[in-house]
Amino acid sequence: MSSIFDQLKSTGRLPSPSGVGARILALTQDENATVDDVSQVLQRDPALTGRIMRVANSAQKAGAVPLSTPKEAAMRLGMRSVSSIAVGFTLVSAHRNGHCDGFDYNAYWSKSVATAVAAQELARLINPEGAPEAFTAGLVLGIGRLALASAQPRAYEALLSRWQGGLPELRELEQGAFGIDHSEVGESLIRDWGMPMRVSHAIRAALTVPEDAQTKESLQLARILETASYLATKHIGIDSALPGEDGALLERLERMGVSAVEFLDCFDPLVREWRELGSDMQIAPLPPFDDTVALGAEAEEERSHSPFVLVVDDDPISLKILSNCLRRGGFDVAATCHPQEAIALAIQYEPAVLITDWMMPEMDGLSLCRALRRCEAGRRLFIMVLTGIEEETACMQAFDAEADDFIRKPFSPKEMLARVQVGVRLSQAQLGLESGGNTVSEASAAESIDDITAADRALGEESGRNMLTGLTNRIFATSRLCGLFEDRSLDSISVVALSIDGLFAATSELGPLLTNEITRRVALCLSSSVRKSDILCTSDTGGFLVLCPSSDLDSATSIAERLRKEVEADAITLEGYHEVVTVSAGVAERSDATPSPAALLQLAEAALEFGAMDGPNQIHPAA
Amino acid sequence: MQQPSPIPIFDRAPLDELNEVGGPELIRELVELFFSETPGIISELEGAIISEDWDIMGRAAHTLKSISYYLGALILSDLGRMIEATSTSPSPEAGKNFAGHAANAFDQVKRELRTFVSTLPE
């Protein structure tokens, strides 16, 4: 089993905690690490800190003084508990989407969050100290399925298309296709991350036979997880389901020694917690998640019909008030503090209404509004701009940016709800008009597709991704490099700047279509050649950047040399272009002379530019 | 130094409205969030004044104004409003006169909010 797992691992595509989560996991395995170290790392991610505080406080005994800082949480709950919650959350952020078409990533995470809050609540009633660990274990209970979908997306998609329903049947199909099933993959993966054995054993047992758990602790956690998963499947988010009348649930509670009355008292807050956490993590609440049947078209149809509202605001209190009031007003809500994420969510989920704050550090609300109006989904949206700007002209500026409504902060929750209801009605009326027999000519439809493609490309650029290559762009590279610069565990960081030799001259001769294709093919070659630990992005001059953490100048030069050879060996040939495609590279390492990420990027690019005089197909380390 | 404004420290009206739509649970969560977020915003404000970065000062003051109002912390909200206005004035350094009151005002507001929360039903 382990060798099959190792093969899956060697694909480099298995889910793993990243960024702050990975750093925290490393700290928990360092016996010299202190509570202060953990809280300092956590503070780099305010959104994550907020989520941890919420879970840490939910796990507290009723009446306990609320925890207000990550340090307090780490001291009260223990470093390992806080860390494991952080690891769980960073996993969600990093693996919210994927490439396996038959795998419903949103439903997967929504159910995982439901399982996590249910497990936490059950554990709180049995052993409050174990509640944070139960939360994390619930969040990663199904990680084996995500891992198989990530490592073998096409094979798993084919497998899912054959699956008729039932978890034992799914495990059987997985064994047939891969020689390993999701319960085994989950157990190995969790152990591989360095999480406690009792958690990995409990997860395997919960997915198969809880009574097979190897220790008393694992058995208790396995039963909690199995019951939590049952609740997530049968009850959470399903208004018609009555947990108090479900004999199978009551039997499970009794087996764990949990008072049914006590648990049922906690059920509504648990469901609210699930909705709020999901909304906070931009996961649409889409039950039912019945794993005993494969999700078909009918189930998709039956999913929530509540109007969907997307909220973006960098102020966490305003975001919380908006989300909470909207949810209580009967809307499905997704909330984010990042405008660029809002663009992606708006295109993917097509909400009826978007409420955006005006002043936000990453992108202001008016720019977001203009960007969205450039694509089809954004044109149909009812957009409300929310602002604390007091100038009278603010309202006119918002309407100039094609906003539909304007609300001043601080807003009255009731007035805001009333305005959203109007927005939903207008949005639905517009949809009705569009689908009500208005024939669109083929020419205008084609025009519209071109328009969307152009807008999507522009939006892609704004959201950090180069649409031609699918790689992240220079803005993203700079941002990642900032993160690497802050990581004190890295003793060296280098950057490789690559350009395709002669491409600029070829553009005027061959035209943009052919040179775009060359760029795309080189991007593919580089993507398959870079190390897993390196980060490949596009530069804004048609070339590429490779960020190499833990690499000094010599090793980064070797990496550049290997990439150069790979591109040359790939022998890219295109009709109408008979030159051998080669790349040159400039390499620079962080030093006192390159104190900032931007300076390091510029140094690598300068090395490339100066070296170009020596001819093509060469590597130029910075002096 | 005199108080810059005769505005009351705390007004329960915004919280009463939130209580109507979100119940005591929402209020408790917002108060926790306010307690955890505000010290960071005040530190950012003080840091911006020391480094004379008036843009950051204005942005932090804007956030302070907004989050404080929802919690009925009128004195803090008003301080935020005044500092924000100062940040774009010809003498933004005057912002420090107001910012000096922020930490003290926050302590007073915390006491009021704790009392308010203790009256909420479980």
Side-chain angles (χ1 to χ4, degrees), chain A residues 530-541:
Chain A
V530 289
R531 299 181 309 179
K532 191 187 160 199
S533 55
D534 295 337
I535 301 146
L536 175 66
C537 312
T538 56
S539 72
D540 52 11
T541 53

Side-chain angles (χ1 to χ4, degrees), chain A residues 54 57 66 68 269 272 276 315-318 320-321 324-325 328 359 361 388-390 409-414, chain B residues 17-18 20-23 25-26 29-30 32-37 59 62-63 65-67 69-71 81 84:
Chain A
R54 183 211 299 262
N57 277 314
S68 58
R272 269 201 298 281
E276 285 172 13
D315 162 5
I317 291 196
S318 177
K320 181 146 197 73
I321 294 173
N324 202 291
C325 294
R328 283 168 193 263
M359 280 180 68
I389 297 173
E390 290 171 9
K409 274 182 175 179
F411 54 83
S412 146
K414 286 183 197 159
Chain B
E17 192 181 353
L18 282 171
E20 261 182 64
V21 288
E25 203 179 320
L26 172 64
E29 283 186 33
L30 289 175
E32 275 168 32
L33 203 53
F34 179 70
F35 285 176
S36 64
E37 291 287 322
R59 211 179 303 148
H62 179 84
T63 309
K65 173 184 81 173
S66 168
I67 69 168
Y69 182 86
Y70 293 119
L71 274 294
R81 183 186 63 77
E84 186 185 13

Side-chain angles (χ1 to χ4, degrees), chain A residues 310-344:
Chain A
L310 178 59
V311 186
V312 51
D313 195 330
D314 64 316
D315 162 5
I317 291 196
S318 177
L319 198 64
K320 181 146 197 73
I321 294 173
L322 280 165
S323 313
N324 202 291
C325 294
L326 288 165
R327 227 173 278 120
R328 283 168 193 263
F331 299 102
D332 275 344
V333 185
T336 173
C337 48
H338 303 293
Q340 287 162 346
E341 268 181 348
I343 291 174

Side-chain angles (χ1 to χ4, degrees), chain A residues 23 38 42 134 202 222 332 418 482 499 521 549:
Chain A
R23 179 86 188 103
V38 170
L42 275 177
D332 275 344
C482 286
S499 73
R521 299 273 287 271

Side-chain angles (χ1 to χ4, degrees), chain A residues 159-182:
Chain A
L159 180 152
L160 289 175
S161 70
R162 296 200 309 276
W163 179 39
Q164 299 294 312
L167 283 181
E169 290 78 4
L170 181 61
R171 287 203 305 273
E172 203 172 301
L173 283 173
E174 289 166 344
Q175 287 286 358
F178 309 113
I180 191 168
D181 67 43
H182 64 262

